[in-house]
Amino acid sequence: LTSIAIDSDDDIHIAYYDANNKDMFHLTDTSGSWARTNLEDIGSNTGGMALDIAINPTTDEPGISYFDKDATSLKYTYYTGSSWSATTVENGADYGRFNSMAYDSLGNVHISHERNSADDLYYTSDKTGSWVTTLVHATGSTGTNTGIAVDSNDDIHIAYRYNSGTDLYHATVQGYKTGSVTRADVSGATCSITPSLPNGLTLNQGTCTISGTPTISGTNTTYNVT
């Protein structure tokens, strides 16, 4: 298992798994010669064993997502500039297989992965300030061999295998950006919302925008637009 990333100085960072010793290493040429660091014993190499490395654009330092087979957990570690700091993102329950990781422009972490036994695709991020895991696709056996990427709007794109249908799938998740974000307008869409909007508000077909002014006061309610 290997993954590679290059920082803004064109220095190379490689995360890899040593199956003989069951250890995960970081290898880099930032000092002018190759140097490696033993990061953690992550257990035996079995189906779904995975790690991925990326460069945080706000620090220009590497971070790694990985599956700890011994703990059957999804973990994340990043370089602070002087040492590595590791955390358990999802503990137990076989989260983290086939994981892939990317940073958005704010340095938020985004990880796609499969949960074993359930065989479902999950997405985990710290964009809210704490780790949140969301089920993305739960139909049949799915979520293996994931790959994740972030576009210029900080929206998330996940490619993965739908095992039951032996198909390639693509999922999107809206990312997080503090400033205003320009996105292409939706057109020609058929939209629905639950629960119904308050009187005075209208869901516009084609664009899925909401317009109008509510005529009554309401309580804090979550609406789902499809």
Side-chain angles (χ1 to χ4, degrees), residues 89-165:
V89 178
E90 282 290 350
N91 190 24
D94 267 349
Y95 288 99
R97 298 200 326 158
F98 301 101
N99 65 80
S100 179
M101 187 192 77
Y103 289 101
D104 63 25
S105 66
L106 299 177
N108 297 314
V109 182
H110 304 272
I111 305 172
S112 59
H113 55 102
E114 185 237 26
R115 180 183 177 187
N116 196 20
S117 299
D119 294 330
D120 295 334
L121 174 67
Y122 280 82
Y123 159 73
T124 299
S125 177
D126 66 348
K127 64 186 178 183
T128 62
S130 59
W131 292 105
V132 176
T133 296
T134 304
L135 175 64
V136 176
H137 190 167
T139 303
S141 176
T142 189
T144 59
N145 306 107
T146 74
I148 195 168
V150 181
D151 66 21
S152 59
N153 289 327
D154 274 353
D155 292 335
I156 314 305
H157 301 263
I158 303 171
Y160 60 101
R161 186 174 189 265
Y162 178 33
N163 298 339
S164 296

Side-chain angles (χ1 to χ4, degrees), residues 4 7 20 47 65 98 120 131 146 149 157 177 184 186 189 199 213 217:
I4 190 169
D7 63 28
N20 289 330
S65 65
F98 301 101
D120 295 334
W131 292 105
T146 74
H157 301 263
K177 210 166 188 177
V186 173
N199 291 336
T213 302
S217 298

Side-chain angles (χ1 to χ4, degrees), residues 8-29:
S8 63
D9 294 321
D10 284 340
D11 291 324
I12 298 171
H13 299 265
I14 299 173
Y16 71 93
Y17 172 73
D18 176 357
N20 289 330
N21 298 300
K22 305 177 183 178
D23 294 331
M24 179 177 70
F25 287 87
H26 170 252
L27 180 68
T28 183
D29 65 347

Side-chain angles (χ1 to χ4, degrees), residues 169-185:
Y169 268 62
H170 168 248
T172 60
V173 181
Q174 183 171 324
Y176 173 77
K177 210 166 188 177
T178 56
S180 59
V181 177
T182 301
R183 290 185 170 87
D185 291 339

